[in-house]
Amino acid sequence: MSEGCLFALGRYQPLTRGHEKVLRNMINLARSQNKTPIIYVSKGSYKSRSDKTKNPFTQKERMAMMRTIFPNVNVRAQVNNPVVTANSLNKPVSICVGSNRVNAFRKMMNRYGHGVISGGNRNNTSNNISGVSGTKLRNWARSNNYAQYRNWVPQGFTNNQVREQMEMIRQRTPAPAPTRKRKANNSR
């Protein structure tokens, strides 16, 4: 019988090796503490051009990806915010997040008696696994850079699955809107 739950949640747009590392850490920690590991996949939204650029996959598609990489883990659809999700489990709960999100989640979750743990370090400027991001992968897919995309998605995906993911990103997401540079205000 489980003594509680340890869960992670995210968009996973797409699932990266960085996500995989954090989730494997969470799964191993949960099992070592006789807790049930659960992965929640957020619903995602498509209200604006920016949303479409960042969210190429449906919740159902991302859950299928998760089940490919984590076949022996409970993967669920997240329908509420993290606090409501944690409260609905009716047992001692902790959430596993990337190091860059620990403080924000502690403020939110500790008020309700839930724990927060770090699943690993995050460094967006790094060129190793701690710096991989969904944004980088989506950009590599849009530019048809198979080698880079393949290198940073979980190795459990077949080459055909990787190519399908890239094609779906190219078909479903517009290129990001160009950023406008502000003119310097030289009047004083």
Side-chain angles (χ1 to χ4, degrees):
M1 183 83 173
S2 170
E3 295 179 7
C5 295
L6 182 55
F7 75 97
L9 58 88
R11 286 181 30 239
Y12 312 112
Q13 290 275 12
L15 179 60
T16 70
R17 284 182 51 208
H19 294 132
E20 179 185 31
K21 181 179 178 183
V22 168
L23 294 171
R24 289 206 187 281
N25 288 345
M26 182 269 300
I27 292 163
N28 291 336
L29 180 62
R31 290 182 174 153
S32 75
Q33 296 177 355
N34 197 31
K35 294 181 179 180
T36 302
I38 303 173
I39 299 171
Y40 282 96
V41 177
S42 68
K43 186 174 182 180
S45 64
Y46 307 94
K47 296 176 185 170
S48 69
R49 176 186 175 97
S50 174
D51 290 338
K52 289 177 184 171
T53 301
K54 295 178 180 179
N55 297 300
F57 301 106
T58 67
Q59 187 180 48
K60 186 177 178 180
E61 289 165 339
R62 289 175 286 131
M63 289 175 68
M65 290 177 200
M66 285 291 181
R67 289 181 177 124
T68 296
I69 303 303
F70 304 104
N72 299 315
V73 175
N74 189 342
V75 176
R76 298 181 183 179
Q78 180 195 2
V79 293
N80 290 302
N81 70 49
V83 172
V84 173
T85 299
N87 289 341
S88 73
L89 294 169
N90 297 317
K91 50 174 78 175
V93 175
S94 292
I95 185 171
C96 178
V97 297
S99 63
N100 59 325
R101 293 188 167 97
V102 168
N103 290 336
F105 272 87
R106 277 200 178 123
K107 287 178 186 174
M108 178 180 16
M109 302 298 281
N110 286 351
R111 270 187 273 172
Y112 300 92
H114 304 303
V116 178
I117 64 156
S118 173
N121 291 327
R122 177 74 191 256
N123 179 354
N124 289 343
T125 61
S126 174
N127 289 324
N128 64 28
I129 200 165
S130 70
V132 67
S133 69
T135 300
K136 289 177 183 177
L137 267 75
R138 290 188 304 274
N139 288 337
W140 288 323
R142 283 188 205 99
S143 65
N144 205 24
N145 188 335
Y146 176 83
Q148 281 286 53
Y149 188 95
R150 180 64 173 123
N151 190 49
W152 294 108
V153 294
Q155 300 302 303
F157 290 132
T158 67
N159 290 336
N160 284 341
Q161 289 171 319
V162 170
R163 285 187 177 88
E164 287 172 10
Q165 287 177 22
M166 291 178 68
E167 184 60 28
M168 291 166 86
I169 291 169
R170 283 193 298 275
Q171 288 178 359
R172 295 178 180 180
T173 63
T179 56
R180 296 181 186 198
K181 292 184 180 179
R182 290 184 152 190
K183 292 183 179 179
N185 187 355
N186 293 331
S187 60
R188 293 190 188 234

